[in-house]
Structure formats: structure tokens, C-alpha cells
Amino acid sequence: MSLSLPLRAQQLLAATPPMGWNSWDSYGLTVTADEFKANVDWLHAHLQLHGWQYVVVDEGWYLDHPGAEGAAQGFNVSPDGRYLPAAGRFPSAQPGDGLKMLADYAHSLGLKFGIHIIRGIPRQAVDRNLPIADSTFHAADAANTADKCEWNGDNYGLKDNEAAQAYYDSIAKLYASWGVDFLKVDCISKPYHAAEIHRMAAALKKTGRPIVLSLSPGPTPLSEADDVRQYAQMWRISNDVWDVWSKADEKPGDFPQSLSAQAGLLADWAPHIERGHWPDADMLPIGYLGPRPGWGEARASRFTPDETRTLLTLWSIARSPLVLGANLTKIDPSLEALLTDDEAIAVDQHSTGNHPVVATKERAVWLAELPGGRKALAAVNLSASPVELAYSWKDLGLAEKSWRLRDLWEKKEIGAQKSFHVELGPHASVLYSLK
């Protein structure tokens, strides 16, 4: 039986696109409590005042030996079939506290704490047919053993029945007791597992704790836009984005997703941007990605300075969540300046009516409304050659008058302009306010 009651009207979470940090891009499966707290400390000291507030432990927190094969990874599963953190990596103040100590630490700094899970139920719980907490069901009642994530075989998917709801209720209750504020559920958007999404949203609602639901990876099908924005606060529009500008013959759903290809997907999803429900262009693979990144070798991001600014420009004008993947303890001053630019952040957090007015393979121009009667305008050169963009204001759907421009990244007043004209280098961008 599939749940049909939309949850978005019951409680508005994530009224603005979530901003924060996730451990995956720099630590993959392997982050420890000490590494996590070091990044939390840096975010608290440098970014929190600018709106960055979520700190998320990504995949594998229940593995004793991440990177090993199969059972050798050392899965920690409770007697009622729920994953527990690996004690060697995440020591608890009290037995059974799970990740509460980390959540308490984040909360003590005024931050919000999140974790990652793979949809479904641990295979170990099904093999042992463990009981499901607070129910009369057992794991085998809930598990669909024919359904496995194509890139992670640790779990079985769930049947569409009351036992499945009981299992999701049990883990949601556990995570709420730890103090979780953000839950990233993976292997659920592509293919689109509507029943599991509905059941997870219902389970989180039952806890009484406001927990943001993030769905991953993508591409989430555009055909499911009406459904997904009723049940989740954010959902991935692509496969994982890494520090790759472009790929030859890239196809939808390719891994990794390139930055240049993301521009088209953001345009496709623009009509579905809605307060409290955000198309998610994925984490920001910028800065230093290491020491143990989720893909590839430890490295400084391969994005050039122009490409880094273009990424932030696109994500901001499209109101994507802003989730850093960098090792924050190694952020350099030039990147920190971008991440603390309150005028650019305000475009992501407070603009409305965001939409592309030019969207080709070589260029993108977006407009949005800003508070105080101002407009936001972003222009991006997606090509490998310099371009000159020239449009009348009417071409861009604006009133034909002199608009006063301010360059938000450069903090520079450009003055009154009777038309729009800009020269952009390869992969470069601008972000303006107009009045």
C-alpha cells in the first residue's frame, strides 16, 4: 500500500536552500569523529555567520573497516536490525548513544547535524531475520530481496507494506533520538522509489523532530517533480558532480556529472524551485579534496578560479542547496572570500522567480528578483573560447530603461547601462544586481 498524503503542507522545513558541509568529497567512507569535528570547528569559526549551518557525516559511519570487501568491512548492526556507528571511529559518551555525541557537539555551536544512509534494510538484518523495533514484524517481512542498489549491495530494498513502514519508523525514531536534523537517503531518486520516499517522509514526520529529507543521487526524473517536491526538502538533479568541467559525449545520468552539463539540468528544473523544496545540483567539489576523497586521489580541486566562481554563480542563481565538499581545514583565503560573500549568498537564499532567459550549450543567462525591487542577473560562458554577450534589456525580458549594475563578486558599481554587454573568458561568469 503506497502512502498518498503529501507532507509539505504539514511542516515547512528548509525555508531557504540548506547550506553546509558534507564529509564525502574529502573523506569518502572513512571520516572519523575527530576529523568531522575539525571541519565543524572551522565552519563555525569562518562560515557560520554567513549562513552555513548543516554538518553531515556521509556514507559508511557504521563500518569498522571502510574500503575492505564485503563482510570484512565490519558492519555494526543492532539486535533490532538498525545500523550503529563504528565505535572505533565514532566513540560514544554512553553505550547506545550512537552519533548523539557528534550531534550534541554541532548543536552546542548552533549548527545542525546530518547523516547519510542507503535506502532499505541491512542484508545482515534480513539474513538473521531480526525483529523490527516497536513492532510485531521481522526484517524478512519488510525486505524485498530482489531489490538491491546497483552500486551498493549492503542493503535490500523494501516491500510496499506495513512492515516496511515499521522499519523506516524505527530508524527515524533512532536518528531523532541522536539529534539528527538532516537525513540524506541515497540510491532512492534514480530509479525513483516513490513508495520508499513516501514512507521515509512519513517516518520522519512521526518523530516530531524537524528533519530535512535529502534524496540522492540523480537524475531524479523530471516526470516526478510534482511528487518529489511534496515529500522531500531537496533532491538531486544529476549523478555525482566532481571537479570535471566537461566530458565528450556526456549522457544524462553519467558519472561523474560535469559542471558544464549541469547548467542545462538547472534550467530544466527551474520551474520546480519552490520555497521549502529545492532541486539539488549536488555538493561543491572545490578547495582541497582529501585526504581520502570519495572519488579519485587526494588533490586540490581541478576547477580553475573562473570555474569555481561559475559553479557558485550557477548554484546561487538557481537556488540550489550549497553543500561544501572541501576539506575545510585547508581552505585558502581566496576561496574563503567567495564562501563568505554575503551578496552572492543572498541570491541563493533570498531571490525569487529564478529562471533562465538564455540557455544554450555555450551560454546561460538567468534572472531573478531580489528584495528591495532589485534584480539578479547571472551570465555564464560555457564554451572554451572567449565570448561577447550583448542583449537589449527587452531581449532579456526587462523594461527598456537604464539599469544600474553592481558586480556582486567584484564589489564594483558599474553604473547605468542602456543594454547588457559583457565579455567573458572561457568558463567564466558574472553575477550582477540590477536596479
Side-chain angles (χ1 to χ4, degrees):
M1 180 178 66
S2 181
L3 300 181
S4 59
L5 177 63
L7 300 181
R8 63 176 176 172
Q10 299 178 25
Q11 183 178 47
L12 182 65
L13 300 174
T16 59
M19 297 173 60
W21 176 80
N22 177 294
S23 62
W24 179 254
D25 282 3
S26 288
Y27 297 94
L29 296 167
T30 69
V31 71
T32 67
D34 287 344
E35 290 169 329
F36 182 78
K37 289 168 73 173
N39 282 271
V40 169
D41 289 343
W42 197 95
L43 186 145
H44 172 63
H46 296 261
L47 301 182
Q48 187 172 348
L49 287 176
H50 302 275
W52 304 86
Q53 62 174 334
Y54 289 91
V55 288
V56 181
V57 177
D58 207 88
E59 185 181 352
W61 44 267
Y62 41 82
L63 300 175
D64 289 326
H65 309 293
E69 295 293 329
Q73 295 174 91
F75 293 87
N76 289 271
V77 178
S78 71
D80 47 19
R82 298 180 287 190
Y83 283 126
L84 297 175
R89 296 165 55 208
F90 302 101
S92 296
Q94 298 292 332
D97 273 357
L99 293 172
K100 187 175 185 300
M101 187 168 69
L102 281 190
D104 288 347
Y105 186 75
H107 295 157
S108 74
L109 301 176
L111 298 169
K112 295 184 177 182
F113 176 72
I115 62 172
H116 168 289
I117 63 170
I118 303 290
R119 69 174 176 90
I121 187 168
R123 293 179 66 178
Q124 287 189 358
V126 179
D127 293 344
R128 295 158 58 190
N129 200 21
L130 297 175
I132 295 173
D134 302 319
S135 81
T136 59
F137 299 111
H138 285 70
D141 301 321
N144 177 2
T145 57
D147 177 19
K148 301 173 189 175
C149 177
E150 65 181 20
W151 46 266
N152 185 311
D154 298 343
N155 289 5
Y156 290 121
L158 295 181
K159 298 173 183 173
D160 191 9
N161 63 16
E162 293 307 310
Q165 186 64 61
Y167 184 72
Y168 273 170
D169 288 350
S170 75
I171 62 173
K173 183 178 179 181
L174 178 66
Y175 303 153
S177 75
W178 293 350
V180 167
D181 307 295
F182 182 104
L183 183 65
K184 176 182 174 182
V185 183
D186 217 336
C187 202
I188 201 166
S189 289
K190 182 207 173 205
Y192 189 77
H193 293 271
E196 290 202 50
I197 291 167
H198 299 177
R199 292 192 180 281
M200 179 57 77
L204 295 177
K205 177 64 180 177
K206 289 177 187 178
T207 69
R209 182 175 183 82
I211 300 175
V212 168
L213 177 58
S214 168
L215 306 179
S216 186
T220 302
L222 267 169
S223 59
E224 300 292 352
D226 286 342
D227 188 78
V228 72
R229 63 183 180 175
Q230 294 189 61
Y231 292 93
Q233 284 69 55
M234 50 189 279
W235 57 91
R236 283 270 300 281
I237 65 171
S238 73
N239 210 325
D240 292 2
V241 173
W242 281 95
D243 50 334
V244 175
W245 173 261
S246 64
K247 295 161 58 183
D249 301 320
E250 186 161 24
K251 298 176 178 62
D254 275 2
F255 176 92
Q257 172 80 346
S258 70
L259 175 51
S260 61
Q262 202 71 331
L265 285 178
L266 287 167
D268 292 341
W269 278 96
H272 306 289
I273 300 168
E274 180 182 35
R275 185 169 180 262
H277 307 278
W278 309 106
D280 175 18
D282 199 15
M283 291 181 286
L284 309 173
I286 54 181
Y288 180 71
L289 307 175
R292 302 176 298 279
W295 179 66
E297 300 298 322
R299 62 195 180 277
S301 174
R302 289 180 284 242
F303 287 141
T304 67
D306 277 345
E307 290 167 353
T308 297
R309 195 158 80 169
T310 287
L311 183 153
L312 292 168
T313 296
L314 281 170
W315 267 234
S316 295
I317 196 64
R319 300 203 75 188
S320 173
L322 300 176
V323 182
L324 291 163
N327 183 328
L328 299 182
T329 68
K330 297 182 181 296
I331 293 281
D332 63 45
S334 61
L335 181 54
E336 183 179 352
L338 294 178
L339 301 177
T340 56
D341 189 312
D342 292 328
E343 290 183 284
I345 289 170
V347 175
D348 181 82
Q349 294 292 289
H350 303 300
S351 58
T352 57
N354 309 65
H355 66 283
V357 290
V358 177
T360 72
K361 289 185 177 181
E362 294 188 343
R363 60 187 64 183
V365 181
W366 283 62
L367 283 173
E369 303 287 335
L370 290 172
R374 297 173 300 136
K375 310 279 187 183
L377 185 153
V380 178
N381 177 11
L382 298 169
S383 77
S385 302
V387 299
E388 180 178 359
L389 303 183
Y391 300 98
S392 71
W393 295 124
K394 183 179 180 181
D395 290 338
L396 300 180
L398 293 172
E400 293 187 271
K401 67 171 192 174
S402 290
W403 289 88
R404 297 188 65 83
L405 273 62
R406 174 172 170 78
D407 188 321
L408 300 185
W409 289 123
E410 296 295 330
K411 306 300 170 210
K412 182 167 61 178
E413 299 294 340
I414 297 174
Q417 304 291 314
K418 292 183 178 180
S419 64
F420 177 62
H421 176 268
V422 67
E423 296 179 2
L424 293 174
H427 309 168
S429 60
V430 290
L431 183 61
Y432 293 147
S433 67
L434 282 61
K435 190 169 183 179

